[in-house]
């Protein structure tokens, strides 16, 4: 099944590239004609050096992190998960940089990296920002304070408020049950 998916992916990419090469100017009007595309040797060398540099950086970073995690008593699954994440980031930045080299550089790379970086940060910080907004509203409206007994009907919990932190509200449960009990 895996070989079939890989074959299908390679076939689809090959077909797209061939069709873009043949009909690129008529379908995608923003592309220059094929006869005008000229790749200078220095541009190709720069792209190869960037690719080799990113590969070398990945090898060094993966060796350092995997040995540090192993020394700290981490599991092989943790190492694999972290290496996959780092590999994805390095490949993404490397592709953006190579595209920037072939398109003439300038602010293209910085703009693309800033846009995708901002989107990534917004996506990854969604829960902490939501928690911070909830803490802000709890402190502004003061529906309860430390020491109050509150009832959360959605979860069937009754408890005394021990702490109102920026991300969590700590309860000393005095009644009800939670789902894992």
């Amino acid at each position: 099944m895996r070989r079939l998916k890989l074959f299908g992916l390679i076939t689809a990419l090959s077909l797209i590239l061939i069709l873009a090469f043949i009909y690129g100017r008529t379908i995608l009007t923003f592309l220059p004609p094929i006869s005008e595309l000229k790749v200078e040797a220095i541009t190709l060398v720069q792209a190869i050096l960037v690719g080799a540099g990113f590969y070398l950086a990945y090898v060094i970073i993966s060796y350092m992190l995997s040995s540090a995690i192993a020394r700290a008593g981490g599991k092989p699954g943790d190492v694999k998960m972290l290496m996959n994440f780092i590999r994805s980031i390095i490949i993404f930045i490397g592709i953006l940089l190579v595209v920037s080299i072939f398109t003439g550089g300038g602010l293209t790379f910085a703009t693309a990296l800033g846009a995708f970086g901002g989107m990534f940060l917004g996506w990854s910080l969604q829960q902490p920002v939501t928690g911070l907004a909830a803490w802000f509203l709890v402190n502004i409206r003061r529906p309860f304070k430390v020491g109050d007994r509150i009832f959360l009907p959605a979860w069937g919990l009754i408890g005394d408020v021990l702490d109102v932190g920026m991300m969590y509200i700590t309860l000393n449960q005095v009644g009800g049950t939670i789902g894992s009990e």
Side-chain angles (χ1 to χ4, degrees):
M1 186 68 170
R2 185 178 170 112
R3 285 186 181 182
L4 185 62
K5 285 182 181 179
L6 184 62
F7 178 73
L9 180 66
I10 291 172
T11 305
L13 285 174
S14 301
L15 187 61
I16 289 170
L17 288 175
I18 290 169
L19 290 175
F21 183 75
I22 295 172
Y23 299 108
R25 182 66 180 143
T26 57
I27 296 172
L28 306 170
T29 56
F30 61 88
L31 289 177
I34 301 297
S35 60
E36 291 180 15
L37 289 178
K38 294 179 182 155
V39 177
E40 297 177 9
I42 190 71
T43 305
L44 193 58
V45 169
Q46 285 177 340
I48 291 171
L49 286 175
V50 165
F54 272 89
Y55 177 73
L56 184 63
Y58 168 71
V59 169
I60 292 171
I61 289 171
S62 66
Y63 176 75
M64 290 172 42
L65 284 176
S66 61
S67 63
I69 292 172
R71 271 186 272 128
K75 299 175 184 169
D78 297 337
V79 173
K80 183 177 178 184
M81 182 181 64
L82 184 61
M83 290 303 106
N84 286 340
F85 177 70
I86 289 174
R87 183 181 324 120
S88 300
I89 289 174
I90 288 176
I91 287 172
F92 177 71
I93 293 174
I95 288 172
L96 282 178
L97 191 56
V98 167
V99 167
S100 174
I101 289 170
F102 281 116
T103 58
L107 295 177
T108 306
F109 177 69
T111 303
L113 187 63
F116 286 111
M119 185 175 59
F120 179 74
L121 280 175
W123 175 68
S124 63
L125 293 176
Q126 181 180 1
Q127 288 297 336
V129 169
T130 303
L132 193 62
W135 169 77
F136 185 70
L137 286 174
V138 165
N139 280 324
I140 294 278
R141 298 211 44 223
R142 298 247 183 223
F144 51 82
K145 60 184 181 297
V146 174
D148 286 353
R149 178 162 289 175
I150 61 172
F151 174 60
L152 303 172
W155 292 294
L157 292 175
I158 300 172
D160 296 329
V161 178
L162 296 177
D163 183 36
V164 179
M166 290 183 82
M167 295 294 162
Y168 302 103
I169 296 174
T170 308
L171 294 178
N172 184 12
Q173 184 180 345
V174 295
T177 60
I178 57 174
S180 63
E181 291 184 327

